[in-house]
Amino acid sequence: EIVLTQSPGTLSLSPGERATLSCRASQNVRSSNFAWYQQKPGQAPRLLIYGASSRATGIPDRFSGSGSGTDFTLTITGLEPEDFAVYYCQQHGSSPPMYTFGQGTKVEIK
Amino acid sequence: QVQLVQSGAEVKKPGSSVKVSCKASGGSFNNFAITWVRQAPGQGPEWMGRVIPILDTAYYAQKFQGRVTFTADKSTNTAYMDLSSLRSEDTAIYYCARDMVGLLDFWGQGTLVTVSS
């Protein structure tokens, strides 16, 4: 099973600052099988980035994803008040189906 | 736009079973899979498995094999998750999500299942 490790656990930043979130996989992950989600309290996760770098429908362009192999990054350029949330990385395999999530990075207001 | 609406919160005794429903609107079950994910208090999401309604095929995470069953009623666009032999560690919010080849792009609102004696 592929394990995803996110860092840091918590990121304390001010609105307008840049956030850089990391996700490291225990084995190589296909970029096409890698995604990022945002979750706010009391809500379901929301798909932000798929294919490691493609924004999902309706996601602002201040969110960007990059990386390949075992190292992936989510960058939020110019934090807005609504961006303070928990972010999860996720990968999936197809044969057999197996999905794993990271443990999350909380982006909080400094 | 696909909407997934789940059944309401449940309180169950240890050893019993729970069945959670997930009704899809705005899209046909013929075109996608449904993945089930749970999230224990303060924890990250955990994948339980997925069902492909058009194929009547389900895949289960090894951790839940033998204890969970996914079904889907294509006539009502409703998916079901049945979890048995409940224990306190199963207390969590259970989500269904539309699964487009691994992308979970629409989610239900979640169903809180509390297991307590």
Side-chain angles (χ1 to χ4, degrees), chain B residues 23-42:
Chain B
K23 183 172 175 60
S25 60
S28 169
F29 255 16
N30 290 335
N31 299 328
F32 54 84
I34 291 287
T35 269
W36 289 91
V37 170
R38 78 177 187 181
Q39 191 168 28

Side-chain angles (χ1 to χ4, degrees), chain A residues 32 35 37 39 42-47 50-51 88 90 92-94 96-103, chain B residues 35 37 39 42-47 50 59-62 95 99 101-105 107-110:
Chain A
S32 58
Y37 296 81
Q39 188 176 32
Q43 296 184 17
R46 173 193 181 198
L47 178 65
Y50 65 94
Y88 295 99
Q90 178 245 329
H92 74 273
S94 52
M98 170 64 73
Y99 298 41
T100 53
F101 290 85
Q103 83 281 14
Chain B
T35 269
V37 170
Q39 191 168 28
Q43 303 297 311
E46 180 179 31
W47 183 70
R50 76 177 191 203
Y59 301 90
Y60 303 108
Q62 192 169 11
Y95 293 101
D99 185 341
V101 198
L103 301 180
L104 309 180
D105 59 353
W107 293 64
Q109 82 277 19

Side-chain angles (χ1 to χ4, degrees), chain A residues 10-82:
Chain A
T10 302
L11 205 46
S12 298
L13 295 167
S14 300
E17 289 194 295
R18 176 189 184 103
T20 303
L21 288 67
S22 173
C23 180
R24 178 161 289 179
S26 60
Q27 304 171 38
N28 274 351
V29 172
R30 281 188 179 180
S31 294
S32 58
N33 294 353
F34 189 88
W36 289 95
Y37 296 81
Q38 176 194 67
Q39 188 176 32
K40 296 180 181 179
Q43 296 184 17
R46 173 193 181 198
L47 178 65
L48 288 179
I49 300 287
Y50 65 94
S53 61
S54 298
R55 278 186 297 277
T57 302
I59 302 303
D61 59 8
R62 63 180 180 272
F63 291 92
S64 63
S66 63
S68 63
T70 60
D71 289 291
F72 297 87
T73 301
L74 174 69
T75 303
I76 312 170
T77 306
L79 281 163
E80 297 286 344
E82 62 268 26

